[in-house]
Amino acid sequence: RSKSELKEKDYNDFYKTMSHDSSDPLMYVHTHAEGTQEYTTLFYVPQSAPFDMYQADYKSGVKLYVKRVFITDDDRELLPAYMRFIRGIIDSEDLPLNVSREILQKNRILDNIRTASVKKLLSEFKKMGEASDKACKSENPSDAEKASIEKWNKFVSAFNRPMKEGLYSDYANREEIAEIVRFKSTDESGTGENKWTSFADYVQRMKPEQKAIYYITGTDEKNLRSSPLLEAYKKKGFEVLIMSDEIDDIVIPSFGKYKDFELKAVNRAGSDEELGVDKAEAEKKDKEFKPVVEKIKKALGDKVKDVRLSKRLSDSPSCIVVDENDPSIQMERMMKAMGQNNLPEIKPILEVNGDHPILGKIRDSSDEDFIEKVSVVLLDQALLVSGAELKNPVEFVKKLNELLSK
């Protein structure tokens, strides 16, 4: 039936019948194409994520029909994997009725339907986000505007993570997806109850001297917000995106750039170049603290890749970063969880704050045992704050207690 003769209740009833969901859908997209190819698509976004969305053997929610004859509901090729939450139907007038799975996988007609469907869905998601952002800026939002905000918040809460996968897997549409995905941020002017922000909004808020989009990855949002790695960026007024989804470590580095702005992880070496530290002053400080850094380096030995004087710390005594070419702590953990246990050990780089009193204690001491204990505690506490697991927590507590007793 054509859109003109259908009411919202018709769409909702049809959705409940075909999906066995007792709730109304969050939204629907109905398309009828005519011309070189004739087909009808009706896609629904559910209110909440399907229970098997993060399972490897998830079931496709899209059914394929040819001339209204059911063909299959077990074909993951009908839509890309990052849209696996979509429910609905594709009805083609051009495919043969005796079409097999092998033919479907290489079929140009189906490829064209899929390409057009993905673009249409992304376009609708983008419109939904723009409507919500506009409504959030309204001083006195109407009931319709409040409904659009609530609708978008539900979409982001349930489906932001799979949509991020598209940045990695759907090269052809990654620019459109980049306008849809949302992130938490150190800036509190985002939209929605969870304060989500987009890349576009971040860029609008950037400082004139800022040349990159900064982000921090980890597994716990609360820990990331209080990370010592953010101290200098906050002081400089640079906003940092908080990325606590485990897939962010794979997705964001592969995406690399939003428009003309490079994405830089603050928990990687080299991301502190824009912090406006005077080069002559930094070189002078490096020279002054070289003996202290060498003491710590000697005490830690092969526990670390390097020890450096930090440009990004203001209050904390130490932090760890990873080399630009090494996987992060979260990535290493994910790879091990996937069974890759033969990975070479990734050693962190320890950055120390020359202005902190603890560094003064190391500088003034010639007691190698004391220097070793303090250095190990500085490293272990930096690892803890970054979300890493200590290899030997008993040894850490023992050294900490020995230092406290002094």
Side-chain angles (χ1 to χ4, degrees):
R1 293 165 62 188
S2 67
K3 285 191 244 185
S4 59
E5 57 180 276
L6 291 168
K7 295 185 171 62
E8 189 166 339
K9 185 179 184 303
D10 298 319
Y11 284 110
N12 292 348
D13 289 346
F14 185 72
Y15 168 74
K16 288 173 184 173
T17 304
M18 63 155 288
S19 68
H20 310 296
D21 189 346
S22 57
S23 306
D24 287 338
L26 188 67
M27 67 176 287
Y28 55 84
V29 181
H30 185 184
T31 306
H32 180 68
E34 291 180 318
T36 52
Q37 286 176 11
E38 188 177 346
Y39 63 86
T40 301
T41 60
L42 176 54
F43 297 124
Y44 292 96
V45 175
Q47 294 268 356
S48 53
F51 72 92
D52 63 347
M53 190 164 75
Y54 296 115
Q55 293 175 11
D57 60 348
Y58 74 88
K59 191 168 176 13
S60 168
V62 178
K63 303 172 193 285
L64 176 65
Y65 290 76
V66 173
K67 299 181 177 69
R68 295 172 189 76
V69 175
F70 175 68
I71 303 298
T72 181
D73 60 357
D74 187 28
D75 189 347
R76 296 188 186 185
E77 302 299 315
L78 298 175
L79 283 179
Y82 69 91
M83 287 188 175
R84 58 190 176 273
F85 54 87
I86 299 289
R87 300 290 177 255
I89 61 160
I90 294 172
D91 183 23
S92 170
E93 295 290 321
D94 304 308
L95 284 166
L97 277 168
N98 62 347
V99 67
S100 66
R101 178 172 287 191
E102 289 72 26
I103 293 170
L104 281 176
Q105 285 173 346
K106 299 169 187 170
N107 190 279
R108 189 180 295 172
I109 294 170
L110 204 58
D111 277 348
N112 291 341
I113 294 172
R114 171 183 154 127
T115 301
S117 297
V118 169
K119 288 195 178 299
K120 179 66 177 171
L121 284 165
L122 291 177
S123 168
E124 292 300 319
F125 297 160
K126 188 179 174 183
K127 280 183 203 166
M128 184 168 43
E130 286 170 348
S132 171
D133 290 346
K134 188 180 175 185
C136 283
K137 288 167 187 167
S138 172
E139 286 183 19
N140 188 20
S142 64
D143 289 344
E145 286 175 324
K146 285 175 185 173
S148 79
I149 294 168
E150 187 184 351
K151 184 177 173 183
W152 178 242
N153 282 342
K154 280 184 181 177
F155 179 83
V156 173
S157 298
F159 307 117
N160 195 47
R161 184 180 153 179
M163 287 303 297
K164 281 185 193 173
E165 293 171 24
L167 289 175
Y168 178 79
S169 61
D170 188 354
Y171 193 85
N173 293 301
R174 61 188 348 194
E175 287 181 17
E176 286 81 2
I177 298 166
E179 302 298 340
I180 296 164
V181 291
R182 296 293 188 262
F183 305 94
K184 302 291 181 65
S185 163
T186 53
D187 183 274
E188 287 299 309
S189 62
T191 60
E193 57 194 28
N194 293 312
K195 295 290 182 188
W196 297 101
T197 192
S198 63
F199 281 133
D201 286 341
Y202 179 103
V203 167
Q204 283 189 333
R205 293 192 293 266
M206 279 170 70
K207 298 286 177 188
E209 71 274 23
Q210 191 179 338
K211 293 182 176 62
I213 294 171
Y214 293 106
Y215 68 94
I216 184 169
T217 57
T219 53
D220 185 275
E221 185 190 338
K222 194 176 175 186
N223 280 353
L224 290 176
R225 286 190 180 280
S226 53
S227 170
L229 290 161
L230 302 183
E231 290 172 1
Y233 296 91
K234 286 179 179 174
K235 213 171 182 180
K236 189 79 178 165
F238 289 174
E239 181 180 349
V240 180
L241 296 175
I242 308 290
M243 301 199 181
S244 54
D245 279 337
E246 57 187 20
I247 63 160
D248 289 330
D249 258 322
I250 300 171
V251 169
I252 302 304
S254 76
F255 182 55
K257 240 182 171 188
Y258 173 75
K259 295 191 174 170
D260 296 328
F261 302 98
E262 199 178 335
L263 273 69
K264 287 192 175 182
V266 303
N267 40 354
R268 286 198 175 274
S271 62
D272 54 3
E273 293 161 4
E274 268 188 62
L275 290 172
V277 178
D278 183 86
K279 282 191 178 178
E281 187 66 33
E283 282 173 17
K284 185 183 168 189
K285 216 168 181 181
D286 278 337
K287 200 172 179 183
E288 182 190 342
F289 282 93
K290 193 178 177 185
V292 188
V293 169
E294 290 298 331
K295 281 182 182 181
I296 298 169
K297 205 182 283 190
K298 184 185 172 187
L300 293 176
D302 62 0
K303 287 186 176 77
V304 291
K305 193 167 192 172
D306 197 8
V307 179
R308 298 174 188 171
L309 197 66
S310 183
K311 296 173 191 167
R312 65 184 103 216
L313 293 173
S314 56
D315 301 322
S316 303
S318 63
C319 67
I320 61 152
V321 293
V322 292
D323 202 355
E324 287 184 80
N325 302 314
D326 287 343
S328 66
I329 289 165
Q330 287 74 32
M331 177 80 83
E332 187 184 16
R333 189 184 295 152
M334 211 187 310
M335 289 160 91
K336 283 182 177 172
M338 289 157 64
Q340 297 184 34
N341 295 317
N342 57 345
L343 294 168
E345 187 184 0
I346 309 299
K347 291 177 181 175
I349 295 167
L350 180 69
E351 290 194 357
V352 291
N353 179 1
D355 298 326
H356 200 279
I358 292 176
L359 270 287
K361 298 281 185 189
I362 294 174
R363 183 182 53 200
D364 299 338
S365 176
S366 55
D367 182 346
E368 288 192 3
D369 182 59
F370 170 76
I371 292 166
E372 189 266 339
K373 284 187 175 73
V374 174
S375 300
V376 170
V377 167
L378 282 176
L379 173 63
D380 283 354
Q381 69 178 19
L383 284 165
L384 279 173
V385 168
S386 72
E389 291 178 13
L390 298 185
K391 287 180 183 172
N392 196 336
V394 174
E395 191 65 27
F396 167 67
V397 172
K398 186 181 171 187
K399 281 184 165 58
L400 189 60
N401 286 338
E402 286 171 2
L403 289 170
L404 286 169
S405 66
K406 287 190 177 186

